[in-house]
């Protein structure tokens, strides 16, 4: 049973876990631009052109693959772009041409791309796409938050002396846990009808197998209540399995608006920790019970 005070613990939740690379993944941005560098350089010849439509047609006929970069010029990643006007509807494919060169020329004109290129609004398509990629990458911050939390937890696993692939494992399915550690986890998966995947699994004190979930919620939402209820159920199921413990690492001020469901889980889940707990040695306690006295509850 948890001996900590829930409300005091909730006050230690963080409003952000942004790391140095959280805001923009420049490596990914550079990689995406590099993949289409040749095609962009070919289209660079259209910048400032006095006869842009005819030159575009000539380029496409000689190098039809240049069309693959058109969507990113419009800040889109899809290979197909749908267009509707008074004459009907179109679905342009920029990987495999499905219209005539004249129709692709029409697309470039009506979308405003010819004007962008012809009137020197930009000087270099590589620089332009680099900016587009940076802007689009900001949309990935929400997805990166989950990975950042996992990375933080993993850093504490390593700091506690655990070794990846030997004493801790990442993204491990329940069936894999059963096979490796000879534990029956059917109670967690509805007798094998539903497979469960854990963010981390590690070997703790006295050979106990700890299976972990990690998440961070910087804002509120219905998902938080659903997650708390789900992990409460998982906790109760885990209690019936010898040598196995469920651990939940979570943080974020989003929990302030979903604290009642979180508190219900807090009351039954002994191993519910936030980043403040990790900073104070929570994983050390799980790995080496002799360190319990150094853990600040």
């Amino acid at each position: 049973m948890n001996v900590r005070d829930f409300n005091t613990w909730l006050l230690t939740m963080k409003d952000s876990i942004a790391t140095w690379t959280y805001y923009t993944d420049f490596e990914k941005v550079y990689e995406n631009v590099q993949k289409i560098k040749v095609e962009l350089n070919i289209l660079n010849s259209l910048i400032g052109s006095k006869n842009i439509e005819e030159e575009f047609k000539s380029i496409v006929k000689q190098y039809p693959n240049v069309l693959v970069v058109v969507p990113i010029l419009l800040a889109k990643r899809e290979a197909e772009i749908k267009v509707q006007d008074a004459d009907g509807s179109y679905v342009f494919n920029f990987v495999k041409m499905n219209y005539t060169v004249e129709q692709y020329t029409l697309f470039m004109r009506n979308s405003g791309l010819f004007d962008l290129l012809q009137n020197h609004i930009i000087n270099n398509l590589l620089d332009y796409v680099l900016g587009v990629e940076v802007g689009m990458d900001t949309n990935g911050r929400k997805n990166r938050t989950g990975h950042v939390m996992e990375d933080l937890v993993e850093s504490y696993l390593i700091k506690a002396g655990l070794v990846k692939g030997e004493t801790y494992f990442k993204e491990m399915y329940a069936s894999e846990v059963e096979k490796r550690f000879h534990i029956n986890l059917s109670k967690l998966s509805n007798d094998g009808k539903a497979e469960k995947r854990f963010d981390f699994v590690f070997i703790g004190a006295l050979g106990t197998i700890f299976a972990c979930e990690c998440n961070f919620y910087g804002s509120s939402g219905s998902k938080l209540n659903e997650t708390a209820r789900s992990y409460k159920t998982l906790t109760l199921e885990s209690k019936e399995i010898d040598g196995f413990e469920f651990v939940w690492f979570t943080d974020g001020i989003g929990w302030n608006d979903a604290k009642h469901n979180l508190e219900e889980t807090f009351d039954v889940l002994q191993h519910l920790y936030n980043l403040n707990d990790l900073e104070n040695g929570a994983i050390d306690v799980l790995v080496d019970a002799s360190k319990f006295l150094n853990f600040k509850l």
Side-chain angles (χ1 to χ4, degrees):
M1 186 64 64
N2 232 305
V3 297
R4 297 176 291 173
D5 177 72
F6 174 76
N7 290 313
T8 301
W9 179 74
L10 192 66
L11 289 174
T12 63
M13 293 292 188
K14 300 182 183 296
D15 59 356
S16 172
I17 53 170
T19 60
W20 298 109
T21 59
Y22 167 77
Y23 296 101
T24 299
D25 186 347
F26 279 108
E27 286 190 13
K28 180 182 176 182
V29 167
Y30 299 146
E31 181 181 345
N32 288 343
V33 175
Q34 186 65 31
K35 289 177 182 177
I36 55 175
K37 181 179 180 180
V38 172
E39 291 80 7
L40 291 173
N41 276 323
I42 293 174
L43 287 184
N44 264 337
S45 64
L46 295 176
I47 294 178
S49 171
K50 301 299 183 182
N51 191 23
I52 194 168
E53 293 199 8
E54 292 306 315
E55 290 185 21
F56 174 76
K57 291 177 184 177
S58 177
I59 288 175
V60 173
K61 289 176 182 177
Q62 294 181 66
Y63 310 103
N65 195 50
V66 297
L67 290 176
V68 300
V69 305
V70 172
I72 196 63
L73 299 181
L74 297 172
K76 289 184 67 65
R77 297 206 186 279
E78 298 83 356
E80 291 188 340
I81 295 181
K82 297 179 180 180
V83 177
Q84 180 79 44
D85 65 13
D87 295 323
S89 60
Y90 306 84
V91 181
F92 285 89
N93 191 308
F94 290 92
V95 173
K96 185 177 181 180
M97 289 181 64
N98 59 335
Y99 291 117
T100 65
V101 174
E102 285 71 21
Q103 286 172 305
Y104 280 96
T105 303
L106 177 71
F107 180 95
M108 295 290 289
R109 183 198 311 138
N110 290 346
S111 66
L113 288 175
F114 276 157
D115 182 58
L116 177 74
L117 297 168
Q118 192 173 36
N119 294 313
H120 287 278
I121 298 175
I122 60 172
N123 295 314
N124 187 296
L125 281 176
L126 274 79
D127 294 339
Y128 170 81
V129 172
L130 184 67
V132 171
E133 285 285 353
V134 169
M136 294 180 70
D137 185 72
T138 62
N139 294 327
R141 288 177 186 169
K142 185 175 181 179
N143 293 330
R144 277 200 289 276
T145 299
H147 293 302
V148 170
M149 187 65 178
E150 289 179 16
D151 290 343
L152 285 170
V153 170
E154 186 168 16
S155 70
Y156 282 103
L157 291 173
I158 295 171
K159 187 177 180 180
L162 297 171
V163 179
K164 187 175 183 179
E166 295 182 15
T167 50
Y168 88 87
F169 307 85
K170 190 172 183 178
E171 296 181 350
M172 200 172 197
Y173 284 96
S175 58
E176 296 174 313
V177 177
E178 290 181 316
K179 183 177 181 181
R180 176 174 287 273
F181 300 108
H182 309 291
I183 296 178
N184 184 354
L185 301 182
S186 60
K187 294 183 182 296
L188 304 184
S189 58
N190 193 20
D191 294 324
K193 296 177 182 178
E195 179 75 294
K196 171 66 182 173
R197 189 183 74 170
F198 299 102
D199 292 327
F200 295 101
V201 174
F202 65 91
I203 304 171
L206 304 177
T208 300
I209 304 303
F210 292 97
C212 317
E213 291 286 350
C214 314
N215 42 50
F216 181 91
Y217 296 105
S219 58
S220 59
S222 59
K223 185 177 181 180
L224 283 78
N225 290 320
E226 178 185 341
T227 300
R229 286 192 294 266
S230 173
Y231 289 173
K232 178 182 178 181
T233 299
L234 189 56
T235 298
L236 297 175
E237 293 172 342
S238 299
K239 291 181 182 297
E240 301 181 36
I241 304 172
D242 292 334
F244 179 86
E245 297 275 357
F246 174 60
V247 185
W248 183 14
F249 300 109
T250 192
D251 211 308
I253 58 175
W255 283 114
N256 290 331
D257 293 327
K259 62 181 181 180
H260 296 301
N261 280 290
L262 181 62
E263 185 173 12
E264 288 184 8
T265 306
F266 182 89
D267 289 340
V268 298
L269 177 53
Q270 179 182 0
H271 303 300
L272 173 53
Y273 306 112
N274 61 16
L275 290 173
N276 183 65
D277 296 325
L278 288 174
E279 292 166 2
N280 285 311
I283 291 180
D284 289 333
V285 174
L286 302 182
V287 173
D288 185 353
S290 67
K291 297 181 180 180
F292 179 77
L293 293 178
N294 296 322
F295 180 55
K296 302 174 184 178
L297 289 173

